[in-house]
Amino acid sequence: MRFDLNLRDKVRSQFRDIAREMQGWQVRSRLLDDEIDRARSQICLFGHTTLRDRLSVGGVDGSGDFPLLSYADSFVYLALAQATVYESNRITGLWEQGPAPEIVFESAWLPESSEEAPEVLDRFHERLAGMSLVDVVDASDYRLLKAKEIRKTSSVQTLLNNLVRPHASDTGNLAIQLRSTAELGAALRLIQSETCPDYLLMDTTFSLPLLSSTSSLFYEHVKRLCCVEALRQGKGFFALSKSHGLPAMDSLEELARDLRSLEGNQVAEHWYLRIPEVGREGWTLSLCEGRRLPPAGAVSYLVRFHRSTSVLRLDMDVNYWERFVKGGTDEETIARERKIFEDLDYACHDQRVYGYPYPIKAAHDRASLMQSERVAMRKQLIAEAVSAGMSPSLFRDPSLATGHR
């Protein structure tokens, strides 16, 4: 790019048009007048929580290399995920429960044109999930949600046949699938273990991208299986996302500021709003128009734990909500919701990530691959291949081959 590009009239004109479009969208994306009072009445406050007894909170995150290396027209992919579990402690705050869950670490060679490629990818997914594809699809309630969505019942075999299996060179799609499956596989292992925490958190949402399609992604089935297993154990498996995907958040924050009796530009903290749904609350936010929020099979909240972090979106399984959160009265439901958010707030007091649950941050730090680690693993793989009699000249770092590094 030439450095004088930003001086050209064409660039200035395009940016001016974009700014007008953004400004017009900002004006339209406001709470409607008849929604303001409803939204204000639904925003709930909860207390800043510094003490908790016998509370455990876990987190899961993952990473990988997608791909690690290319070899001729084939690719080597690597995916990993780490779970952590912390307990409340009156002296130290969060205290890690040991030993730490075993890390999920899997790599596989995916051929591009071979007829065996789908089978190789399936085996890769099975190792990441820790279960066979058949067992996951059969035990998950994803099949029930899809049947309700598309109004057609599908057998386990039909769903298996229609799983999306990208080509080895489709690195973007494979990156999403493999990383998500690794993370959910780590979560599933922890949920099924004897050390399953009271709450297990992941940096994601409960959205199911292909629910309305005849196809599906394997990790969608694993996600819903985690919900099924957590419900069976009476544990909270929640998705917590920093991207709530809603416009006009300043309108909601202004309402929360009024409830906290704050002035000026002060930020209200320790509040939540359960996103309304017609079938449950009898109304919806216009801000959610055109968005599947809450997702099918989930209840969604907007929550702010601390002024230093943004408003977060929390999704929980609707079956968990109905069994453990929904009360006989609105007051009882709110009391149970407050208890959950105060428990989670307790996990948000670590100074390294104030306002965000530290177990997720700890899992992220442990699962993240440094560049030196990536280089070392590439070298180790090539050395093993050369020892097996393969030519080192056919190996490529994909990012170098495309000029992106």
Side-chain angles (χ1 to χ4, degrees):
M1 179 185 290
R2 294 180 60 88
F3 288 105
D4 63 347
L5 183 63
N6 65 320
L7 302 178
R8 298 180 183 177
D9 290 339
K10 182 177 181 180
V11 174
R12 288 200 298 269
S13 176
Q14 289 185 4
F15 286 175
R16 191 180 302 114
D17 291 341
I18 290 174
R20 290 196 189 101
E21 292 174 2
M22 293 169 64
Q23 194 274 338
W25 170 84
Q26 183 182 25
V27 171
R28 293 194 303 271
S29 299
R30 307 289 297 180
L31 286 175
L32 301 179
D33 292 341
D34 59 350
E35 292 180 309
I36 294 177
D37 290 339
R38 273 184 167 181
R40 179 185 286 107
S41 67
Q42 296 298 312
I43 293 176
C44 298
L45 308 178
F46 60 91
H48 180 57
T49 310
T50 57
L51 290 176
R52 270 295 188 264
D53 291 321
R54 295 183 297 277
L55 173 69
S56 58
V57 181
V60 178
D61 205 2
S63 67
D65 226 344
F66 312 103
L68 179 68
L69 279 174
S70 65
Y71 180 77
D73 66 341
S74 61
F75 299 83
V76 176
Y77 285 86
L78 182 153
L80 62 99
Q82 176 70 66
T84 62
V85 179
Y86 287 81
E87 294 180 332
S88 58
N89 186 289
R90 283 183 170 267
I91 298 176
T92 61
L94 288 174
W95 182 267
E96 185 169 10
Q97 176 181 325
E102 183 178 355
I103 191 170
V104 174
F105 183 98
E106 296 292 343
S107 57
W109 170 69
L110 300 182
E112 170 67 17
S113 57
S114 170
E115 295 180 356
E116 299 177 354
E119 183 179 349
V120 173
L121 180 59
D122 285 352
R123 292 199 300 269
F124 196 5
H125 274 137
E126 289 180 336
R127 297 199 305 274
L128 291 172
M131 293 177 61
S132 70
L133 268 64
V134 174
D135 289 343
V136 169
V137 174
D138 184 52
S140 171
D141 66 356
Y142 180 81
R143 184 161 43 128
L144 300 176
L145 292 175
K146 181 176 281 289
K148 184 178 180 180
E149 183 74 15
I150 66 176
R151 299 181 180 180
K152 179 182 178 181
T153 301
S154 302
S155 67
V156 171
Q157 191 57 52
T158 298
L159 290 172
L160 289 173
N161 293 340
N162 290 334
L163 286 176
V164 176
R165 297 175 173 90
H167 290 286
S169 59
D170 193 353
T171 58
N173 284 334
L174 281 170
I176 295 172
Q177 286 208 42
L178 296 176
R179 175 171 176 164
S180 297
T181 305
E183 293 175 343
L184 290 162
L188 183 60
R189 288 171 173 86
L190 181 56
I191 292 170
Q192 294 174 333
S193 73
E194 295 180 355
T195 58
C196 180
D198 299 318
Y199 305 103
L200 181 58
L201 310 175
M202 286 186 60
D203 184 3
T204 183
T205 71
F206 277 178
S207 297
L208 303 172
L210 297 186
L211 187 67
S212 59
S213 168
T214 55
S215 301
S216 61
L217 302 164
F218 178 62
Y219 76 80
E220 292 180 294
H221 297 270
V222 186
K223 182 182 292 185
R224 290 307 309 178
L225 180 56
C226 287
C227 294
V228 170
E229 289 294 302
L231 178 66
R232 185 175 61 84
Q233 298 224 40
K235 306 293 186 179
F237 173 59
F238 302 155
L240 194 65
S241 174
K242 294 182 286 292
S243 301
H244 48 71
L246 288 179
M249 191 52 56
D250 56 328
S251 299
L252 292 176
E253 294 211 69
E254 184 177 348
L255 297 179
R257 186 163 53 246
D258 291 343
L259 290 173
R260 284 288 185 189
S261 300
L262 300 177
E263 298 179 354
N265 294 323
Q266 290 180 284
V267 176
E269 53 190 7
H270 301 111
W271 62 267
Y272 72 87
L273 168 68
R274 184 173 68 242
I275 296 178
E277 189 179 40
V278 170
R280 190 175 56 239
E281 285 84 10
W283 67 289
T284 60
L285 282 171
S286 61
L287 304 179
C288 298
E289 185 177 351
R291 298 168 173 83
R292 189 62 185 265
L293 191 65
V299 175
S300 297
Y301 294 84
L302 299 173
V303 56
R304 182 187 278 279
F305 292 107
H306 190 262
R307 67 178 69 90
S308 64
T309 56
S310 61
V311 175
L312 306 175
R313 166 183 162 185
L314 183 141
D315 292 349
M316 69 172 66
D317 176 32
V318 68
N319 298 311
Y320 176 91
W321 185 85
E322 290 180 348
R323 182 178 300 183
F324 297 106
V325 182
K326 183 181 179 181
T329 63
D330 290 342
E331 291 74 17
E332 187 177 357
T333 300
I334 291 173
R336 293 176 180 178
E337 289 174 335
R338 281 200 179 108
K339 166 71 165 53
I340 289 174
F341 286 111
E342 287 173 356
D343 286 345
L344 298 182
D345 184 63
Y346 178 87
C348 295
H349 296 157
D350 191 282
Q351 61 183 356
R352 289 165 287 188
V353 58
Y354 210 77
Y356 187 75
Y358 181 68
I360 303 181
K361 168 63 174 174
H364 170 79
D365 291 344
R366 295 178 193 184
S368 297
L369 283 174
M370 295 186 294
Q371 184 60 29
S372 59
E373 294 172 321
R374 300 174 192 270
V375 172
M377 284 190 285
R378 291 190 187 103
K379 290 180 178 179
Q380 186 175 358
L381 175 58
I382 293 174
E384 293 291 341
V386 171
S387 299
M390 300 173 69
S391 171
S393 63
L394 294 178
F395 285 94
R396 294 288 185 273
D397 178 347
S399 62
L400 287 174
T402 57
H404 289 127
R405 182 178 297 173

